[in-house]
Amino acid sequence: VHTDAFAIGGPRPVYFARFVQWSLGVPDLVLVSNLLFLAEASTKAKLFRSMPSLLSSFFYVWAGWAAEVSMSVAVRWLLMAWCMLGAALVGVDQMKLAWDHRHHSENF
């Protein structure tokens, strides 16, 4: 257990196990969502299309952990910006998949 010394209201614990769980759970949720939109694609195509979002979500969770335990305010801001960018990229990718699926399905 690490401590977030800069937390509002005083230091609070940062549980490593929680981030282990999130670093596996968030990419799993992204993959499940992607598989619904890519149901007709081959397994290789599904993995190839999903890998950028899976990696982004895995690494932005760990960047969040590093930001919480960092003692440098500048490093914390940089890592949190990385987290927000990673989350935004995954979100935009999910919207693109939904958009492509909707417009592809209307052609049938």
Side-chain angles (χ1 to χ4, degrees), residues 62-86:
W62 284 111
W65 174 82
E68 291 226 17
V69 299
S70 174
M71 296 304 290
S72 167
V73 174
V75 170
R76 289 171 72 102
W77 278 102
L78 179 66
L79 289 169
M80 287 309 297
W82 182 11
C83 290
M84 295 301 112
L85 177 63

Side-chain angles (χ1 to χ4, degrees), residues 37 40 98-108:
F37 291 119
E40 299 166 2
W99 179 269
D100 291 346
H101 180 74
R102 179 178 181 186
H103 291 285
H104 177 70
S105 299
E106 289 177 352
N107 294 331
F108 291 106

Side-chain angles (χ1 to χ4, degrees), residues 18-28 54 57-58 61-62:
R18 179 178 294 164
F19 286 88
V20 170
Q21 181 185 13
W22 288 345
S23 71
L24 300 174
V26 174
D28 283 347
L54 298 178
S57 60
F58 177 84
V61 167
W62 284 111

Side-chain angles (χ1 to χ4, degrees), residues 10-73:
R12 67 179 182 89
V14 177
Y15 298 102
F16 182 79
R18 179 178 294 164
F19 286 88
V20 170
Q21 181 185 13
W22 288 345
S23 71
L24 300 174
V26 174
D28 283 347
L29 292 172
V30 170
L31 183 60
V32 167
S33 177
N34 285 4
L35 292 179
L36 293 172
F37 291 119
L38 301 170
E40 299 166 2
S42 69
T43 301
K44 183 178 179 180
K46 289 174 190 173
L47 287 175
F48 183 77
R49 176 61 181 81
S50 299
M51 196 55 64
S53 287
L54 298 178
L55 291 173
S56 178
S57 60
F58 177 84
F59 286 115
Y60 81 64
V61 167
W62 284 111
W65 174 82
E68 291 226 17
V69 299
S70 174
M71 296 304 290
S72 167
V73 174

